[in-house]
Amino acid sequence: MNYQLSLTVAICFGLLVLLGYFLPDFDLLILLRAEILRWAAILSGVAMFVGIISLLKVHFNKFMDQKSNWGYSLVLVLTFLITFGAGVFSFIFPQAEGLVDFMFRYVQVPVESTLAALLAVLLLVAGMRMVRYRRDWTTWLFLAISLIMLIGLVTIEAPIPDVFPFLRDWLLTVPVVAGARGILIGLALGAIITGLRIFTGADQPYGE
Amino acid sequence: MPQIIDLIGLATLLLIGGLLVGLQIRNQRRNVQPAFRPINAYAKLRTFLTEAIETGRQVHFGIGTGSIGAEDTSATLAGIQTMQAASTTLAAAEKPPLVTASDGTSFLLAQDALRDVYKTVPGAADRYDRDAVQMVGVSPWSYSAGASMLVHGEAPIASVTLGEYGDELLPVLEAGDRVGARQLSGTTNNNSQAIPFVGVEDAVVGEEVYAASAYLNPKRASYVASLQTHDVMRLLIIGALVIGSLVMTALDIFG
């Protein structure tokens, strides 16, 4: 019974949103579509809240049970409480409204940027490892093209043969664009078919 | 003009939907067992699952940093469906898989999907652990940090990361490599296709991400029908591209 209900809701709401998108001249469909999307945004916010509670619960239990790396769990719970406290504080006292913004700008952004900056090092390590475990022509082609691109991108004045910038431009405008478009078409088809599988009730990722 | 384009879009969608339903009904009636093109990564995934059951160690599933309701919904669903299909086998194992998400909606759906599998497989209900699915971060890079940490701490026997991932995937793959996990990875993000290719031995490229559930569960008519529909549509697009190019070239020369 629950399954039939969730399936009916999924199909009906999907149909309304889809028709609202393809038939923009029907005002009622547009209104319904906007309303459904608003509900979805609210539900998404609630889901995020549930997810954060679950995250806290998992880390609190890890800290209480003194499991491996429990120190990091403690840091997570404490920083959550501090950030949440700052949010409540700036809600009660509007003059402190910049507090959360400050924390985001001077803690969250630098931490995430540092992680992203490590990517160059990680890529180099992963590239070296790739040569170790996959010694076929695809690896050598990948490395050769990486080298051509890197040499072709050099901006300082250096005695680099003209063939490198030419090869770089040709690679970027012909094989890379062709390959990327091919992958994109395949991905788009995959996305549409996966969506339609849910929409037609052929698949039910949700439980009963 | 925009209305004509909208109608063409709707007609294409109806064509794909019709093909999908038609092929599914045909597969069910004739009990079709198709021969798939071999994809090394998915052949190995079966081995990973068997090893996980034998050793009692967990398998990590990353379902991507996408969400349900945004433009990356299909990629997230593909990640969840792969986890769901693999969990049907893993339900026999001592421990449930570890699933990581970075959004509330995908977290709840993954939790629901996993619970459903453990409820359906006989005798598995008491092994279900709701904390097996964790939302480890709320942004791509915080997910990366959280999932890396989890993989490093729990040392799973295998780590499967399929879904919408950007560059943040690489630290997770690096963590998996450090703990010696067997890895399979693929992303639907066109700009980050190189990350799984460089990061793991068994990478899946582009649309192959959407084929995982069919490879894991080839007896299910809807999964097989979706691959067949994909192939038919691909052939139609190739035909349209070739004919279009020839017509344009002919117009350039003779027009």
Side-chain angles (χ1 to χ4, degrees):
Chain A
M1 178 61 191
N2 282 349
Y3 165 66
Q4 270 98 349
L5 182 69
S6 47
L7 184 67
T8 313
V9 169
I11 292 175
C12 289
F13 279 56
L15 197 66
L16 282 171
V17 173
L18 209 58
L19 286 176
Y21 178 79
F22 281 114
L23 305 170
D25 292 340
F26 292 87
D27 290 343
L28 183 66
L29 281 176
I30 301 290
L31 276 174
L32 278 171
R33 183 171 160 240
E35 195 56 38
I36 290 168
L37 290 178
R38 211 168 296 137
W39 286 11
I42 294 168
L43 287 175
S44 164
V46 174
M48 184 63 91
F49 183 69
V50 175
I52 289 169
I53 298 292
S54 160
L55 178 73
L56 275 176
K57 196 192 100 189
V58 167
H59 283 276
F60 185 72
N61 288 342
K62 209 170 163 182
F63 162 64
M64 293 304 278
D65 299 341
Q66 305 274 296
K67 284 186 182 169
S68 66
N69 294 328
W70 62 267
Y72 295 114
S73 299
L74 178 64
V75 171
L76 184 136
V77 175
L78 287 177
T79 45
F80 171 81
L81 290 174
I82 292 168
T83 315
F84 186 74
V88 173
F89 187 75
S90 44
F91 180 73
I92 297 169
F93 304 102
Q95 59 268 41
E97 66 178 350
L99 200 57
V100 176
D101 202 38
F102 176 87
M103 292 172 79
F104 182 76
R105 193 177 301 168
Y106 295 105
V107 180
Q108 178 84 4
V109 172
V111 167
E112 293 205 3
S113 307
T114 309
L115 261 177
L118 284 174
L119 198 68
V121 179
L122 289 178
L123 261 176
L124 191 69
V125 173
M128 279 154 51
R129 206 174 43 234
M130 182 176 71
V131 179
R132 197 186 68 210
Y133 62 59
R134 196 196 294 140
R135 284 188 186 157
D136 59 12
W137 66 273
T138 56
T139 303
W140 300 114
L141 182 69
F142 183 88
L143 291 176
I145 291 175
S146 304
L147 264 178
I148 291 170
M149 295 301 288
L150 285 172
I151 297 172
L153 282 167
V154 169
T155 48
I156 53 162
E157 255 187 60
I160 294 167
D162 288 344
V163 71
F164 282 103
F166 168 78
L167 271 177
R168 180 204 65 195
D169 290 343
W170 180 80
L171 284 168
L172 279 177
T173 48
V174 184
V176 170
V177 171
R181 282 182 185 166
I183 291 176
L184 205 59
I185 290 172
L187 284 173
L189 280 175
I192 293 170
I193 293 166
T194 306
L196 280 173
R197 241 166 43 192
I198 308 284
F199 184 60
T200 54
D203 243 1
Q204 346 44 75
Y206 34 83
E208 280 184 32
Chain B
M1 193 64 181
Q3 280 182 344
I4 293 173
I5 291 171
D6 283 343
L7 287 176
I8 292 172
L10 187 60
T12 312
L13 209 59
L14 287 174
L15 171 70
I16 300 175
L19 263 174
L20 191 66
V21 174
L23 285 168
Q24 189 183 334
I25 293 168
R26 175 180 159 273
N27 290 347
Q28 273 167 341
R29 279 192 187 155
R30 295 188 188 174
N31 198 18
V32 172
Q33 296 291 317
F36 292 139
R37 169 173 67 89
I39 297 179
N40 264 348
Y42 293 144
K44 285 188 184 173
L45 178 56
R46 288 174 182 279
T47 321
F48 299 167
L49 301 179
T50 316
E51 282 174 2
I53 296 170
E54 283 169 1
T55 57
R57 287 170 66 189
Q58 284 177 294
V59 177
H60 166 246
F61 285 94
I63 57 171
T65 51
S67 61
I68 305 295
E71 69 269 25
D72 43 24
T73 301
S74 292
T76 309
L77 286 172
I80 292 174
Q81 281 167 351
T82 309
M83 179 275 292
Q84 203 177 17
S87 300
T88 313
T89 309
L90 284 174
E94 195 183 323
K95 290 178 185 170
L98 268 174
V99 187
T100 52
S102 85
D103 177 79
T105 50
S106 57
F107 156 75
L108 282 179
L109 190 61
Q111 203 175 47
D112 198 31
L114 189 65
R115 188 180 55 218
D116 200 43
V117 169
Y118 274 77
K119 223 163 69 177
T120 318
V121 175
D126 53 334
R127 284 195 293 275
Y128 172 72
D129 176 9
R130 61 188 293 182
D131 289 339
V133 184
Q134 294 183 25
M135 194 177 87
V136 290
V138 290
S139 68
W141 283 102
S142 63
Y143 168 84
S144 182
S148 303
M149 204 45 206
L150 193 74
V151 168
H152 204 266
E154 301 294 331
I157 192 164
S159 177
V160 181
T161 41
L162 288 176
E164 171 71 18
Y165 282 107
D167 297 342
E168 71 278 358
L169 174 61
L170 197 54
V172 185
L173 300 181
E174 187 61 28
D177 190 69
R178 277 170 187 261
V179 295
R182 317 270 305 263
Q183 299 202 79
L184 185 162
S185 183
T187 172
T188 54
N189 186 330
N190 211 11
N191 297 326
S192 302
Q193 292 298 322
I195 301 286
F197 182 79
V198 175
V200 299
E201 193 175 349
D202 299 300
V204 289
V205 180
E207 70 209 67
E208 287 176 352
V209 170
Y210 292 103
S213 46
Y215 273 77
L216 283 172
N217 202 346
K219 286 183 181 166
R220 191 155 168 178
S222 69
Y223 290 163
V224 176
S226 75
L227 284 194
Q228 289 169 324
T229 311
H230 209 139
D231 284 346
V232 172
M233 288 310 296
R234 196 198 328 264
L235 286 174
L236 287 176
I237 290 171
I238 291 170
L241 285 175
V242 171
I243 293 168
S245 306
L246 288 175
V247 170
M248 292 306 282
T249 312
L251 282 176
D252 270 356
I253 296 170
F254 305 110

